[in-house]
Structures are given as structure tokens and as C-alpha cells.
């Protein structure tokens, strides 16, 4: 694995806040900034290809419309707007939605491009039906603080997963508007290991990443969690749900022991502890972050999903060959530390591209976007 000096993408007049990379057109990168602008970059060209001035407020998040990357959705303040790159000269949104009561932190589109999810400072998530141009559902009472991140689950078409600054990870059935499961990272069994040098911030959930649909044949149904205490957790969602169901279905009555039909003790009771062991906890003791992790992503280059990329407030980006940590743990061996990229500023966001070079895009707290080559 190699890392060279970064290429610098210039176009924003204020801090770059978010970046996304095209799947259909490798080398196309779109960024947003506090200047209210969207910049379109083609890695084959030297300069920015297009700057769309779409508002006066900072843009907090952006995403492509699934299946049509000429369409982008952006969140600015409490508003969601939709733009067509072919109509960029007018800077007039095709659609706009003002359902959120507080500032939006993340905006995502589901794989069938039928719903948007917008997570905001009130702790709520608005599910927007983009075909009917209306609010579909409000997800509330899952978080008691800011909802910082949201992701649709590509293998469960009616479910989303959210994370917040209440240290909770919530899995939702958004068709019913209610949680399926809540993981609380402030609980003792989910806290960090307390290894020397690990920061002592709360385990707030700052960002989430899930595999794309075409990664699922090689990856488990995972969720990667960027935590405020500097750790990155890799969680198998289906195992978590299965453990929850087994816990509820095998909960013994008072004075009794849970048993199978043949009279033997139910082994599922022990699966809860086994499930905790299967969670992967990447922290400072393994060469990880020493401050809050602000963003995470699965790699799109090479073998898709082979690496987990994390960026943090410690002014560093880590490239984790995460499956080797599972292998090392099972073999009671040691794994190689992650590739470390030192920056001069904190990381706001990052994404990866499906190209052999210039495949890691980083927005830090400056107006210049950095692009690294990881191979």
C-alpha cells in the first residue's frame, strides 16, 4: 500500500464540508462547502469543471440521486434541495423540501432513488418520498440529542440506521416509523477498552457507513461506526438483530431456565456474549485515532470494501485492512497497524473513488480538497 503527496482541488471560497464520488463515471468528484457552492471535479482535468452557487448558507451534506448522477441533493440549514447539473447555469432547484425543524446533518438517498433521509439537530429523521414529493414518515423518539448520521440498509429495503450524540445507534423500520433495535455505546459492555492513550470523550456516534449492495456478496451485512472516543466499531447488523430476537424469545420466566424442545439448555442465551465478541473494535491500541472520529467509508477502489477509511479530529486519516484484525484475533496473533495519513487540519468528510489512483478524497477544515492515491 502506498501513499503519495496529495493533489489539491481548488474551487471553494470557504471550508469544504462534504464530498461524494461517482460510481458510474470514475474520476468525477463533487464537493460542497460553507460558501454555499457545489464544485464538480474531473480527475482527468487540472481545474474545477463547474461551480454551482446554490445558496448563501453552508451546505452540510450532499448525495447523488441513485441511478442518475446528473441529479444531486443537498442539505442547507433546514432545507433539502435538488439540482440537475445540466441546468446549473440557472442554479434553480428542481425540488425543495422544508420538513426538518432543525439544521440537517446528513442527507442520503436509497438505492431505488425513491426516498431521501435527512437527519437533523432535533434528533429526528425525515423520510421524504421523492416520487410523490411529500413527507413519508418522521422518525422520532429514537435519539435524545442531535442525530448526526443516517444510512439506508440496501439489504433491508424498509430500514434505516441512525447514530447520534446521545451515543446511540438506532435501527428503524421506517415504513412503521419505529425502532427495531437500539445500541447504547455509553453502556459498560459497549464502551471502549480504555487502553492507554485513548481519548476520554463520550462514545458519541459521529458517522456511519454500510456496504453498498454490490459489496454484499463478499462482505457481511455490516455497519461501521465512527465514535467520539476515537474508536471505530464494525458491527454485524443481522447478528445484532438475531441476538435481540433470541434474547426476547428465550427470556426465562421467573424461577425457570430457558430450554429447547428436547429439554436441553438453550444455546442462544450464550450467543449474546458471543455476538459481543464478534464486534470489531479498532482503537488507539491498534494504531487508531487519539481524538473523535468524524467520518468513515468503505473503499471503492480495488477489491471493494477491503479497507475501511476513517478520518478524525486528531488531524489524521487511517486506512484499515479490517478483515486482518478479525483473522488475527481468531489466531491470537498480531495485525499490521493501519496506514496513517497525517494532515494539518481536522477532517470534515472523506470518500473514495473506484479508480486505481487518486482514489481517496478528503475535506478538512480548509477550502482546499486533498486527493491521495492509495494502492
Amino acid at each position: 500500500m502506498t501513499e503519495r503527496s496529495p493533489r489539491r482541488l481548488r474551487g471553494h471560497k470557504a471550508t469544504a464540508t462534504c464530498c461524494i464520488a461517482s460510481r458510474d463515471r470514475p474520476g468525477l468528484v463533487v464537493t460542497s462547502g460553507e460558501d454555499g457552492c457545489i464544485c464538480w471535479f474531473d480527475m482527468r482535468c487540472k481545474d474545477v469543471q463547474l461551480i454551482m452557487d446554490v445558496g448563501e448558507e453552508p451546505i452540510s451534506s450532499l448525495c447523488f440521486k441513485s441511478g442518475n448522477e446528473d441529479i444531486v441533493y443537498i442539505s442547507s440549514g433546514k432545507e433539502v434541495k435538488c439540482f440537475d447539473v445540466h441546468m446549473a447555469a440557472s442554479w434553480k432547484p428542481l425540488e425543495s423540501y422544508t420538513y426538518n425543524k432543525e439544521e440537517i446533518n446528513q442527507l442520503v438517498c436509497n438505492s431505488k432513488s425513491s426516498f431521501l433521509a435527512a437527519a437533523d439537530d432535533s434528533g429526528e429523521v425525515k423520510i421524504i418520498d421523492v416520487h410523490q414529493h411529500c413527507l413519508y414518515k418522521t422518525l422520532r423518539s429514537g435519539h435524545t440529542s442531535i442525530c448526526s448520521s443516517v444510512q439506508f440498509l440496501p439489504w433491508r429495503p424498509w430500514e434505516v440506521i441512525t447514530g447520534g450524540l446521545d451515543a446511540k445507534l438506532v435501527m428503524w423500520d421506517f415504513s412503521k416509523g419505529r425502532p427495531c433495535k437500539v445500541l447504547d455505546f455509553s453502556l459498560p459492555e459497549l464502551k471502549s477498552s480504555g487502553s492507554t492513550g485513548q481519548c476520554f470523550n463520550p462514545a458519541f456516534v459521529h458517522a456511519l457507513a454500510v456496504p453498498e449492495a454490490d459489496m454484499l456478496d463478499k462482505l457481511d451485512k455490516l455497519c461501521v461506526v465512527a465514535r467520539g472516543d476515537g474508536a471505530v466499531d464494525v458491527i454485524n447488523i443481522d447478528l445484532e438483530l438475531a441476538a435481540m430476537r433470541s434474547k426476547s424469545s428465550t427470556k426465562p420466566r421467573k424461577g425457570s431456565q430457558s430450554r429447547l424442545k428436547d429439554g436441553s439448555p438453550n444455546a442462544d442465551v450464550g450467543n449474546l456474549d458471543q455476538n459481543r465478541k464478534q464486534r470489531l473494535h479498532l482503537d488507539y491500541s491498534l494504531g487508531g485515532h487519539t481524538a473523535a472520529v468524524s467520518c468513515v467509508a468503505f473503499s471503492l477502489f480495488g477489491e471493494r470494501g477491503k479497507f475501511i477509511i476513517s478520518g478524525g479530529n486528531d488531524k489524521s486519516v487511517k486506512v484499515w485492512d479490517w478483515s486482518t484484525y478479525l483473522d488475527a484475533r481468531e489466531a491470537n496473533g498480531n495485525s499490521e497497524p493501519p496506514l496513517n495519513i497525517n494532515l494539518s487540519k481536522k477532517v470534515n468528510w472523506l470518500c473514495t473513488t473506484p479508480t486505481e489512483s487518486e482514489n481517496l478524497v478528503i475535506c478538512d477544515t480548509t477550502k482546499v480538497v486533498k486527493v491521495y492515491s492509495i494502492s
Side-chain angles (χ1 to χ4, degrees):
M1 188 185 298
T2 60
E3 163 219 346
R4 304 185 185 94
S5 297
R7 176 177 175 179
R8 287 171 165 79
L9 304 181
R10 305 179 189 276
H12 289 289
K13 297 177 182 178
T15 298
T17 55
C18 192
C19 54
I20 53 176
S22 169
R23 274 64 165 168
D24 300 335
R25 292 168 285 185
L28 175 67
V29 173
V30 185
T31 64
S32 62
E34 291 183 355
D35 53 4
C37 291
I38 304 170
C39 292
W40 295 70
F41 296 95
D42 187 331
M43 295 295 101
R44 298 170 298 179
C45 305
K46 181 179 179 182
D47 299 318
V48 60
Q49 297 299 291
L50 175 68
I51 299 178
M52 299 170 64
D53 189 351
V54 299
E56 296 181 358
E57 288 192 77
I59 298 172
S60 56
S61 182
L62 78 163
C63 63
F64 288 118
K65 181 175 183 178
S66 302
N68 183 2
E69 292 182 347
D70 290 331
I71 305 293
V72 291
Y73 295 100
I74 68 126
S75 60
S76 180
K78 305 174 186 179
E79 189 174 11
V80 175
K81 299 177 184 178
C82 173
F83 294 92
D84 186 336
V85 65
H86 297 300
M87 300 174 65
S90 68
W91 299 324
K92 185 177 179 180
L94 300 176
E95 308 153 18
S96 66
Y97 305 102
T98 54
Y99 299 120
N100 291 81
K101 298 177 184 177
E102 301 291 342
E103 185 173 346
I104 298 168
N105 295 306
Q106 188 172 21
L107 180 68
V108 292
C109 183
N110 77 334
S111 59
K112 295 184 178 180
S113 68
S114 50
F115 294 103
L116 290 171
D120 67 29
D121 279 358
S122 72
E124 295 183 352
V125 179
K126 301 295 182 179
I127 305 294
I128 301 167
D129 185 328
V130 295
H131 289 165
Q132 301 297 322
H133 306 294
C134 65
L135 179 65
Y136 177 78
K137 205 74 87 177
T138 297
L139 308 183
R140 59 168 61 96
S141 302
H143 293 285
T144 57
S145 184
I146 290 169
C147 185
S148 52
S149 188
V150 58
Q151 293 289 333
F152 286 97
L153 300 182
W155 60 90
R156 292 179 177 269
W158 293 101
E159 292 186 18
V160 296
I161 189 164
T162 61
L165 301 194
D166 52 2
K168 290 180 181 177
L169 185 74
V170 184
M171 305 174 201
W172 302 82
D173 180 337
F174 70 84
S175 68
K176 299 176 181 177
R178 63 178 184 231
C180 306
K181 182 174 176 62
V182 178
L183 291 180
D184 189 342
F185 289 101
S186 67
L187 297 177
E189 65 266 24
L190 286 174
K191 284 184 177 180
S192 63
S193 58
S195 52
T196 304
Q198 184 76 9
C199 72
F200 294 99
N201 291 338
F204 295 158
V205 179
H206 288 291
L208 303 170
V210 297
E212 295 184 6
D214 60 358
M215 296 181 185
L216 295 176
D217 57 340
K218 293 185 178 180
L219 300 181
D220 287 328
K221 294 167 183 176
L222 305 173
C223 177
V224 184
V225 184
R227 295 172 39 153
D229 59 358
V232 175
D233 277 4
V234 184
I235 296 172
N236 188 308
I237 295 175
D238 277 10
L239 286 180
E240 292 290 342
L241 291 173
M244 180 193 69
R245 294 188 187 104
S246 69
K247 183 178 181 180
S248 61
S249 63
T250 62
K251 190 174 182 179
R253 296 175 184 172
K254 188 174 182 180
S256 68
Q257 182 181 6
S258 175
R259 292 180 175 271
L260 298 176
K261 290 182 179 179
D262 62 2
S264 60
N266 193 331
D268 281 345
V269 176
N271 286 346
L272 298 174
D273 291 331
Q274 181 64 26
N275 186 40
R276 289 194 188 101
K277 295 177 183 178
Q278 290 176 339
R279 296 175 185 149
L280 190 57
H281 186 76
L282 307 173
D283 65 5
Y284 178 83
S285 66
L286 299 172
H289 295 279
T290 58
V293 185
S294 54
C295 50
V296 285
F298 282 99
S299 58
L300 296 180
F301 50 84
E303 182 183 338
R304 292 164 65 87
K306 177 178 173 61
F307 300 105
I308 289 171
I309 323 288
S310 60
N313 290 350
D314 55 357
K315 305 177 185 178
S316 74
V317 169
K318 310 288 183 179
V319 182
W320 304 87
D321 188 353
W322 62 275
S323 62
T324 64
Y325 292 87
L326 288 174
D327 297 339
R329 188 170 63 184
E330 291 172 3
N332 294 319
N334 295 319
S335 54
E336 291 294 321
L339 171 68
N340 182 68
I341 300 174
N342 289 313
L343 306 171
S344 59
K345 301 290 183 180
K346 296 178 181 180
V347 181
N348 280 336
W349 204 251
L350 57 80
C351 69
T352 61
T353 71
T355 54
E356 293 183 4
S357 63
E358 296 184 333
N359 45 28
L360 173 58
V361 184
I362 300 171
C363 296
D364 58 23
T365 54
T366 69
K367 61 185 178 182
V368 180
V369 179
K370 284 78 176 177
V371 185
Y372 287 85
S373 293
I374 307 294
S375 60

